[in-house]
Amino acid sequence: MKGRNQTFVSDFILLGLPIRPEQQNLFYVLFLAMYLTTVLGNLLIIVLIHLDSHLHTPMYLFLSNLSFSDFCFSSVTMPKLLQNMQSQVPSIPYAGCLTQMYFFMFFGDLESFLLVAMAYDRFVAICFPLHYTTIMSPKLCLSLVVLSWVLTTFHALLHTLLMARLCFCADNVIPHFFCDMSALLKLSCSDTQVNELVIFIMGGLILVIPFLLIIMSYARIISSILRVPSARGIRKAFSTCGSHLTVVSLFYGTIIGLYLVPSSNNSTVKETVMAMMYTVVTPMLNPFIYSLRNKDMKGALGRVFNKKKISFFF
Ligand SMILES: *[C@@H]1O[C@H](CO)[C@@H](O)[C@H](O)[C@H]1NC(C)=O
């Protein structure tokens, strides 16, 4: 499968984070706590939305999908990172590395498509309130979710297959804490031109188009609020869209900061810190951004706990 006549790499070494050895334990505890918060926060949102029938609306079903995607996204990298922080040889087998890359791209893209679906949902709710239930039918919601899954499957598969063509000869040290595509490309001893071209084109399509769609949705929302300004309408719109825009800017802000802002000489450190932001911090914060200050979620929490429906979960 790999390089035919060359000595090929069967394992990669993940260098992990630029942390001094004496601080290793401190960061281990910190990351473990962050990962557990991510898992519990997102699972709580999924359980709440599915148990409480008041929350069976398109917005919350998308939110539940987003939580699922966040949960998986951080589970692709965090457990391996935590394991490697404790082991002497932080290695990952070749197949494991490609698998990690596949799922990393898969859930990263899925998040981006779900943000588009959520923006579209808010756009319809605010700009066409009377037609909302007919436009956002369960069938359309399901189609949007299925379409996101299909597109991300193909996109992640394309990059993974292109990566599987490459040879890795001598150098197997990845200066990162997971199998990042660009770090792998730098290690390869084959010609990576095709990969880079595909990354450039697909990256543009997969990141820029959703980003533009989201911006357009929220621009239409804001202009429609400003056209008929009423204090109540503005407050209502901002309370729902504010949290969405926070998540969107967290997600795209780190990606733009990572890939578009020119890096200084210390770029590996910057890259890992930024990657830490969107793999660990964003999935952890999303549940809090949506549920804090959200009356529906708090109400659901109260109702579900009062009924003691989920007592068996604890
Ligand atoms: C995702 O969204 C679809 C369509 O709205 C819904 O049927 C499904 O239950 C959601 N999945 C999760 C995990 O919430």
Side-chain angles (χ1 to χ4, degrees), residues 46 49-50 57-69 114 137-146 149:
I46 297 175
I49 290 174
H50 280 262
T57 60
M59 182 170 105
Y60 287 106
L61 287 175
F62 288 138
L63 181 56
S64 155
N65 277 272
L66 190 73
S67 278
F68 175 72
S69 169
L114 289 174
S137 60
K139 209 173 138 208
L140 179 72
C141 295
L142 193 61
S143 318
L144 286 176
V145 172
V146 170
W149 278 75

